[in-house]
Amino acid sequence: MAERSLARSTARYEKKREAILDAATEILNRAGVRGLTLGDAAAAVGLSTTSVTYYFKRKEDLAAACLMRGIDALYGFAEAACAEATPEARLKKLLELHFERLRQGAAGEAPPLPVLSDLRALNPPRKAQVFEAFMRVFRKVRQVFDAPELAALSRGRKTARTHMLLEQLFWAEAWLRRYDLEDYPRLAERVFGILTGGLAQPGAAWAPEPMELEEIAGADPQEISRETFLLAATRLINSRGYRGASVELISAELNVTKGSFYHHIDAKDDLVVACFERTFEVMRRVQRKAMAGPGDQWSRLVSAAATLAEYQLSDYGPLLRTSALSAVPEHIRGKMVEQSNRVSDRFAGMISDGIAEGSIRPVDPFIAAQMLNATLNAGAELSFWVPGVKQKAAPAVFVRPLLMGIFELPAQRGG
């Protein structure tokens, strides 16, 4: 009798714990790690905050548990995928499993997956624990590329491609919302086709035309200019998240007084808007310059993508990561998503024109543009994953695998 009572008690405990995690994950996806509170999670499941502390003593424990649940799911997908015999089969299985899980979450058939882009907003010691678990996932996904035919790829190139691939998984949830749930399997196939085949026609050359980064940046020569201030803020938001980048930290980064912050920006919400607008304007400048340049649409697209990849690792970079969107106030988020989509839609137009003229392989222009946007955005963290990577090498190491094919070796097509 005692054992049966204990079993019922354990089952009730697990059911309530899972309900708290479900609710907290939705809050975390909407407000970020820093925006999640025990009180909000408790209210979402009809409990008091004190009751929630029976399951999770601190907010950090709750946030970490949400993220770990998502990491464990992704590890399971990767483990199943890596049981396949070939890199292509592994990639296909990984996409199928991940897209099916996203479909289940959107349909209410399974709890939502947490957005994993905000890991660094956690505080120690949970941050180290969760990040180590994520590294296990990263290493497992990198095994997709373990094959004799890919032996020519260095460890650094495999790591860069793994970073790019994971970014596609994370960003897919943002653009999949535009589609019916029944289309998710077909969309996974389209993503697989773009990743394996790239956008290049057979025989296409990888020959980006360089652009002057100083001209693209539009840098202000003043010692502590608005541009300098926004760059410092962008770097901090990328590394610490929106809520973790305080006025004091930004001012300390530039060795200026806190009052200088308000000389350039009226409030913190204005700051993140300004950082996003700076990012989108840089991308638009590159797009305009590429579209006005010589050659066909393939050449223009390659030049634009290569320039932005270099920009991310230059003294003018990085650009603001879209992961910051998960924590900004909702009235700001919608407007920034609209601007991001307009940048992506311009890439889609270039791809569509390239397909029409025959310089770009027939693909879904919208999906290809979203995947390109995700890759360029993830370039802000390339030096973290591939230490020592040179600015000039970034296009070939990171962007080329998307545009020419993720399993393509540099000597195979176009040099």
Side-chain angles (χ1 to χ4, degrees):
M1 182 68 71
E3 290 180 359
R4 190 178 306 158
S5 176
L6 178 62
R8 284 199 299 267
S9 176
T10 301
R12 284 195 302 269
Y13 176 90
E14 288 300 323
K15 184 177 180 180
K16 184 62 68 176
R17 184 179 185 277
E18 291 300 305
I20 294 169
L21 285 173
D22 292 350
T25 298
E26 292 188 3
I27 297 169
L28 184 147
N29 288 349
R30 185 173 65 249
V33 168
R34 302 271 180 178
L36 173 65
T37 67
L38 291 178
D40 288 342
V45 292
L47 294 175
S48 68
T49 303
T50 302
S51 297
V52 171
T53 59
Y54 176 66
Y55 301 88
F56 303 98
K57 292 187 181 301
R58 292 174 293 276
K59 188 275 293 277
E60 291 289 319
D61 299 331
L62 177 58
C66 291
L67 294 169
M68 284 297 298
R69 197 163 63 160
I71 289 171
D72 289 343
L74 186 55
Y75 187 88
F77 304 155
E79 190 171 40
C82 287
E84 299 292 329
T86 67
E88 290 80 6
R90 294 168 198 159
L91 177 61
K92 188 175 181 63
K93 174 66 79 172
L94 179 62
L95 291 171
E96 288 174 347
L97 292 172
H98 186 72
F99 274 58
E100 171 58 18
R101 183 60 179 80
L102 291 178
R103 188 203 64 76
Q104 292 171 3
E109 299 170 4
L113 287 176
V115 174
L116 298 179
S117 56
D118 209 20
L119 294 181
R120 293 179 187 175
L122 284 171
N123 291 322
R126 292 299 187 191
K127 180 177 179 179
Q129 295 168 353
V130 173
F131 193 75
E132 176 52 35
F134 180 76
M135 287 302 299
R136 285 182 63 242
V137 172
F138 193 97
R139 289 190 290 267
K140 177 59 70 173
V141 173
R142 190 167 55 196
Q143 291 177 18
V144 165
F145 301 96
D146 288 349
E149 63 269 30
L150 298 178
L153 289 178
S154 67
R155 182 179 180 83
R157 286 182 181 270
K158 289 180 181 178
T159 297
R161 294 178 193 212
T162 302
H163 176 41
M164 186 269 281
L165 172 56
L166 284 170
E167 194 66 23
Q168 303 308 328
L169 299 184
F170 300 152
W171 185 242
E173 187 172 8
W175 58 260
L176 278 171
R177 297 168 190 163
R178 298 178 55 158
Y179 293 90
D180 289 333
L181 298 181
E182 63 194 65
D183 290 331
Y184 279 31
R186 178 177 59 86
L187 297 169
E189 290 179 5
R190 291 192 173 185
V191 171
F192 174 76
I194 291 169
L195 285 172
T196 54
L199 276 63
Q201 289 282 16
W206 174 263
E209 288 291 330
M211 300 183 194
E212 292 293 335
L213 297 187
E214 185 175 2
E215 180 182 338
I216 297 300
D220 190 324
Q222 297 179 36
E223 184 178 353
I224 301 295
S225 65
R226 179 183 173 87
E227 173 71 16
T228 304
F229 202 87
L230 292 179
L231 177 56
T234 295
R235 289 170 176 166
L236 276 170
I237 294 171
N238 281 354
S239 63
R240 295 173 178 262
Y242 169 69
R243 297 177 188 272
S246 66
V247 175
E248 289 79 7
L249 285 171
I250 297 167
S251 300
E253 181 82 5
L254 294 172
N255 196 26
V256 298
T257 65
K258 185 176 175 179
S260 297
F261 173 91
Y262 298 104
H263 172 71
H264 293 284
I265 302 292
D266 292 332
K268 190 173 178 182
D269 285 355
D270 297 326
L271 171 65
V272 75
V273 168
C275 288
F276 270 120
E277 288 180 340
R278 168 185 174 271
T279 289
F280 298 140
E281 180 54 32
V282 166
M283 297 185 77
R284 283 191 289 263
R285 284 180 197 145
V286 171
Q287 289 175 326
R288 286 194 293 266
K289 192 171 178 64
M291 292 169 71
D296 54 25
Q297 291 294 344
W298 164 253
S299 300
R300 294 168 183 168
L301 186 71
V302 165
S303 295
T307 297
L308 287 167
E310 276 198 48
Y311 190 97
Q312 291 281 37
L313 297 188
S314 73
D315 290 339
Y316 301 108
L319 301 173
L320 189 61
R321 291 279 273 135
T322 51
S323 58
L325 284 170
S326 65
V328 301
E330 291 190 33
H331 70 279
I332 296 175
R333 191 183 311 158
K335 295 177 181 178
M336 296 302 101
V337 169
E338 285 180 12
Q339 288 205 51
S340 176
N341 284 337
R342 284 199 291 272
V343 171
S344 181
D345 288 347
R346 181 173 281 177
F347 279 132
M350 296 172 70
I351 294 167
S352 181
D353 290 346
I355 294 170
E357 72 181 11
S359 67
I360 290 178
R361 195 172 69 85
V363 295
D364 187 312
F366 171 80
I367 295 176
Q370 289 288 340
M371 293 172 68
L372 176 58
N373 231 14
T375 300
L376 295 173
N377 188 260
E381 294 182 348
L382 180 59
S383 59
F384 172 82
W385 293 105
V386 188
V389 62
K390 302 298 183 184
Q391 174 187 321
K392 291 294 183 182
V397 168
F398 196 57
V399 177
R400 176 173 173 151
L402 176 70
L403 297 181
M404 305 281 289
I406 198 167
F407 299 125
E408 183 252 4
L409 301 177
Q412 287 180 335
R413 291 187 359 188

